[in-house]
Amino acid sequence: MRRRSRHREAIQDTLRSAVGPLSATDLHERLADSGIGLATVYRLLNEGLEDGDLVTVGLPGGPKRFEPADKPHHHHFECVACHKVFDVMGCPGGMDRLVPEGFTLEQHEVILSGRCDACA
Amino acid sequence: MRRRSRHREAIQDTLRSAVGPLSATDLHERLADSGIGLATVYRLLNEGLEDGDLVTVGLPGGPKRFEPADKPHHHHFECVACHKVFDVMGCPGGMDRLVPEGFTLEQHEVILSGRCDACA
DNA sequence: AACTATATGATAATGAATTATCATTATCTG
DNA sequence: CAGATAATGATAATTCATTATCATATAGTT
């Protein structure tokens, strides 16, 4: 059975208030003051996945990132300068037209890249 | 100066005739009969990038993939069952509308996932 | 054919992300 | 509060992709 702990809450809170998905390392750094260990970060993230509270976002060339599972449909923007990742709400749509004959579409991801306002 | 070799040609040919981008490992396997070593595959791929003949395609959770640089604008479909990656021609467009105020869009990638015709 | 620089293959080394281990600590329940 | 068990942190271990090393083979030139 799962007990509550300050670390478990901290991970969830941090992900919920972030502007985009975070990696294990991101979280470890942001929560450094709390003294949380990296192993614990990974453990809690994996538990979050098991429990269905979190989902992963895979972006090219980077480590796996995590975000709350209950966010509305959205996509991501990665800054080529600072490498931060931001949620972008909305979706271009029209993915179906791209799917080859005989293929079945289950999911899609749109990844924008460029410069964020701070780096532009 | 760059000499021509059967391996260099083989890599280019294989990438040109593939249905989607290939990883170093993919290429090593496909060219196994030729006796090419993995180090050579990586070497030739990096040279292809330097020479501008190849570009990389990063897909979530997988190794870097390579494709010829002169393909027309397209995106990718990854099969969740066999993990093969296929080019899909065309583009949904309308990415600009997603870009947050103050951000500059340089590139975009659309990644579809589901089942390919063989796995559906 | 001889010569010189590049190409190659086997394998060791590296780097980064993630998982495993284990002794200690904290939480929850009664 | 006491007992049982989950949570934690430090660190070792693992896994996978990629790069470095180096002795040998090969291509291109004379």
Side-chain angles (χ1 to χ4, degrees), chain B residues 71-88:
Chain B
K71 285 201 177 173
H73 186 68
H74 66 282
H75 294 298
H76 300 99
F77 184 107
E78 177 167 20
C79 178
V80 297
C82 67
H83 294 104
K84 267 201 283 245
V85 177
F86 303 84
D87 293 342
V88 300

Side-chain angles (χ1 to χ4, degrees), chain A residues 103-107, chain B residues 77-84 112-116 119:
Chain A
F103 284 43
T104 317
L105 182 62
E106 292 181 7
Q107 283 206 299
Chain B
F77 184 107
E78 177 167 20
C79 178
V80 297
C82 67
H83 294 104
K84 267 201 283 245
L112 308 179
S113 56
R115 293 177 169 269
C116 72
C119 296

Side-chain angles (χ1 to χ4, degrees), chain B residues 19-37:
Chain B
V19 300
L22 301 178
S23 68
T25 310
D26 290 339
L27 283 160
H28 188 227
E29 284 168 3
R30 293 197 186 202
L31 300 174
D33 290 347
S34 73
I36 191 174

Side-chain angles (χ1 to χ4, degrees), chain B:
Chain B
M1 173 155 352
R2 202 141 281 173
R3 293 173 184 170
R4 57 184 3 218
S5 74
R6 87 204 138 96
H7 289 328
R8 197 185 303 283
E9 324 253 278
I11 293 276
Q12 297 285 342
D13 290 351
T14 306
L15 285 177
R16 228 175 287 117
S17 63
V19 300
L22 301 178
S23 68
T25 310
D26 290 339
L27 283 160
H28 188 227
E29 284 168 3
R30 293 197 186 202
L31 300 174
D33 290 347
S34 73
I36 191 174
L38 185 55
T40 302
V41 174
Y42 275 104
R43 233 181 272 124
L44 294 176
L45 287 173
N46 285 329
E47 290 175 2
L49 293 178
E50 278 175 36
D51 298 349
D53 298 327
L54 302 179
V55 294
T56 58
V57 181
L59 295 168
K64 211 181 299 180
R65 290 165 175 272
F66 300 80
E67 65 184 12
D70 56 9
K71 285 201 177 173
H73 186 68
H74 66 282
H75 294 298
H76 300 99
F77 184 107
E78 177 167 20
C79 178
V80 297
C82 67
H83 294 104
K84 267 201 283 245
V85 177
F86 303 84
D87 293 342
V88 300
M89 303 323 285
C91 177
M95 305 292 162
D96 322 309
R97 259 165 294 156
L98 305 181
V99 180
E101 194 63 31
F103 285 43
T104 317
L105 182 62
E106 293 182 7
Q107 282 206 300
H108 69 268
E109 174 62 289
V110 175
I111 299 160
L112 308 179
S113 56
R115 293 177 169 269
C116 72
D117 51 357
C119 296

